[in-house]
Amino acid sequence: MDTLLTSISLALDCFSVSISNSACSNYVRKDALTYATSFGFFQSFMLLSGYSFGLLLESYIRAFDHWIAFLLLLFAGMNMIRGNEVKSAMLLILSIATSIDALSVGIALSLLGLEIIKPSLVAGGSSFLLTIAGYCLGSRLRGIGDKSEKVGGLILIGIGVKILMEHTLG
């Protein structure tokens, strides 16, 4: 049960990002599968990477992981607000930004001596499914006007600020 709850909490950023992406008029439904696959892969990959590096990188990662996530989401959000669209670069940036927390969780799991295969698969699957769900929900918001891309960009920046505040204030 802890594995599922942790995986869902890691996937909530993917869910939020997919809602904002699909609400924008320049994203199409076929993007849902591409984003879901990328987000799911990166959640699993980052969890495994964090676990693999464990103690070696812990002090370095924890010191600035929230800044990396914030800056990536800020960059992506600003590009959406400006209307700049480079889908492949945006996909990579968002995939990394939404999975930075998984890297930290992987490190924590290694320090606790817990196994990683099941959590990695569940995290990837949860991110995949919640991204698809976010796209379905966000597509219902499509057509709310030209401002939807700007709202989506602000949402990404808000997620970045939330990550930054959680790590610096609490």
Side-chain angles (χ1 to χ4, degrees):
M1 187 59 145
D2 288 343
T3 299
L4 181 61
L5 293 176
T6 300
S7 297
I8 290 171
S9 69
L10 289 173
L12 288 176
D13 285 347
C14 300
F15 178 71
S16 299
V17 168
S18 63
I19 289 172
S20 73
N21 279 348
S22 63
C24 298
S25 58
N26 59 340
Y27 287 92
V28 294
R29 288 184 187 201
K30 71 178 182 171
D31 289 338
L33 186 59
T34 302
Y35 273 77
T37 301
S38 184
F39 286 0
F41 170 79
F42 270 89
Q43 285 290 350
S44 290
F45 176 75
M46 294 293 260
L47 198 59
L48 288 168
S49 296
Y51 190 88
S52 298
F53 293 118
L55 288 174
L56 179 62
L57 294 179
E58 179 194 13
S59 62
Y60 300 111
I61 298 294
R62 284 193 181 167
F64 61 88
D65 66 345
H66 50 285
W67 284 103
I68 294 171
F70 169 71
L71 291 172
L72 289 170
L73 289 166
L74 177 66
F75 176 76
M78 292 302 292
N79 277 314
M80 284 181 73
I81 290 169
R82 288 190 201 132
N84 298 346
E85 183 181 346
V86 182
K87 283 191 180 183
S88 60
M90 186 70 79
L91 175 60
L92 180 62
I93 289 167
L94 292 174
S95 295
I96 293 169
T98 58
S99 63
I100 290 288
D101 287 347
L103 187 68
S104 298
V105 170
I107 292 169
L109 291 176
S110 72
L111 296 176
L112 296 171
L114 300 174
E115 69 107 7
I116 190 62
I117 300 302
K118 182 180 175 185
S120 174
L121 293 173
V122 173
S126 297
S127 296
F128 181 90
L129 293 173
L130 283 175
T131 299
I132 296 290
Y135 261 88
C136 291
L137 179 60
S139 68
R140 295 180 189 274
L141 301 175
R142 190 178 307 177
I144 59 174
D146 294 335
K147 298 189 189 297
S148 63
E149 191 169 11
K150 291 178 181 16
V151 171
L154 290 173
I155 289 170
L156 293 182
I157 293 170
I159 293 169
V161 169
K162 177 188 82 73
I163 290 169
L164 188 61
M165 290 179 66
E166 286 174 353
H167 285 84
T168 56
L169 300 178

